[in-house]
Amino acid sequence: MKNKIAQILGFSLITASIVITLIFLVTIIYLIASRGLPVISWEFLTSVPRKGMTAGGVAPAIIGTFYLTIGAIIFALPFGLACAVYLNEYSSKGYMVNIIRMSINNLAGVPSVVFGLFGLAVFVKFFGFGISILSGSLTLGILILPAVISASQEALMAVPYSIREASFALGATQWQTIRKAVIPAAIPGIMTGVILSIGRAAGETAPILFTAATFYKRGYPDSIFSEVMALPYHIYALMTEGTKPEQQVVIAYGCALILLIVVLMISSIAIFLRNKYGSSYVN
């Protein structure tokens, strides 16, 4: 009887948690969609800002967000995957490896503004890249690097060891086994982690606050050393700067809706890829 009551209470708690979570999720989506949707138009999506960002569109911010996100993943993916391969395939269990893994996990919990200050000190000042797409992309890349490493490492660990043994039995070297058997089998998990990291990079404000973003820019960036508008920072700036808040707040909700759609699309793609490649691997 006690077990049955405990089970009912457990299911009730789980159900209540799901309902509360969905209520918050639906409320956020409804609030942003109801206030941002009237602003969305073809002109808003494709034109440049005018009149000090109180008219026109946000195309440069959308393009800038795309540049920064792609730059971040180009930087983070090779280093993250290489680090995961080393930790999972080459390193032996020991005190030092445990410290490295613990450091990576702790790095994922560091506030994003700290990464912004790091990017300002290292990429903007020390290397002299200035406030630019390059500095912002590298900073965002370091921000998502722990997540890419963790996701890649978990995907590699999920690959059955029998695949490695079969490859070794055929005479393949360890590197050939990793490159042609282990990594292809782990690609679904790696891709899911990478795409989720892209979603985080696209929505971060603090790391690009000091390294890449500008509030108002006429036209589009012409090189990786150009300042760039970005949706997350643009929302922040619209709500905290400027002299016409009644017009800026409306535009901010439109930008928030665009950013939300981008992040949700990326998450949907991640779920689709995980399910598709996960099923293919199991079968």
Side-chain angles (χ1 to χ4, degrees):
M1 187 65 181
K2 287 183 178 178
N3 291 336
K4 191 173 182 180
I5 294 174
Q7 178 176 295
I8 293 173
L9 290 175
F11 280 123
S12 300
L13 183 62
I14 293 173
T15 303
S17 300
I18 294 173
V19 171
I20 291 172
T21 302
L22 289 177
I23 288 174
F24 279 119
L25 180 62
V26 172
T27 302
I28 292 172
I29 294 175
Y30 173 75
L31 179 65
I32 295 177
S34 61
R35 299 188 182 186
L37 200 57
V39 183
I40 305 298
S41 65
W42 182 249
E43 181 187 3
F44 188 74
L45 295 173
T46 58
S47 62
V48 298
R50 292 183 282 109
K51 299 180 181 179
M53 265 316 307
T54 58
V58 293
I62 298 173
I63 297 297
T65 303
F66 177 78
Y67 284 163
L68 290 171
T69 306
I70 295 300
I73 205 65
I74 288 175
F75 172 75
L77 180 56
F79 286 101
L81 182 56
C83 185
V85 168
Y86 171 76
L87 290 174
N88 198 67
E89 304 296 331
Y90 287 103
S91 66
S92 56
K93 294 181 180 178
Y95 184 70
M96 186 57 66
V97 172
N98 290 335
I99 290 178
I100 293 174
R101 287 175 176 165
M102 186 174 63
S103 301
I104 292 171
N105 293 331
N106 289 334
L107 195 61
V110 173
S112 56
V113 68
V114 176
F115 287 96
L117 292 173
F118 172 81
L120 174 66
V122 175
F123 301 124
V124 177
K125 301 294 184 182
F126 183 77
F127 287 108
F129 296 152
I131 306 296
S132 64
I133 295 175
L134 181 58
S135 297
S137 297
L138 292 172
T139 305
L140 286 173
I142 292 177
L143 173 73
I144 65 174
L145 191 57
V148 174
I149 294 173
S150 298
S152 301
Q153 196 175 351
E154 297 234 349
L156 293 172
M157 291 172 64
V159 177
Y161 197 76
S162 59
I163 292 180
R164 297 173 177 83
E165 292 177 332
S167 180
F168 293 145
L170 294 173
T173 63
Q174 186 172 7
W175 171 240
Q176 288 173 326
T177 299
I178 293 171
R179 186 166 60 90
K180 296 187 177 181
V182 177
I183 291 180
I187 280 179
I190 296 172
M191 289 178 65
T192 301
V194 167
I195 295 173
L196 291 175
S197 298
I198 291 174
R200 185 184 178 193
E204 283 289 349
T205 303
I208 61 174
L209 190 64
F210 313 118
T211 58
T214 181
F215 171 58
Y216 181 61
K217 180 179 178 63
R218 296 180 66 87
Y220 300 91
D222 51 11
S223 77
I224 60 173
F225 297 103
S226 298
E227 291 182 333
V228 66
M229 293 178 67
L231 286 172
Y233 178 70
H234 197 60
I235 295 169
Y236 168 78
L238 284 169
M239 299 299 291
T240 57
E241 300 177 13
T243 56
K244 297 181 178 178
E246 67 281 355
Q247 298 177 356
Q248 294 175 196
V249 169
V250 176
I251 296 174
Y253 275 105
C255 294
L257 180 59
I258 295 173
L259 183 59
L260 183 62
I261 291 172
V262 170
V263 173
L264 288 177
M265 286 177 61
I266 293 173
S267 298
S268 300
I269 293 172
I271 294 171
F272 171 76
L273 291 175
R274 182 188 60 196
N275 293 339
K276 180 181 177 181
Y277 287 98
S279 300
S280 301
Y281 180 74
V282 170
N283 295 330

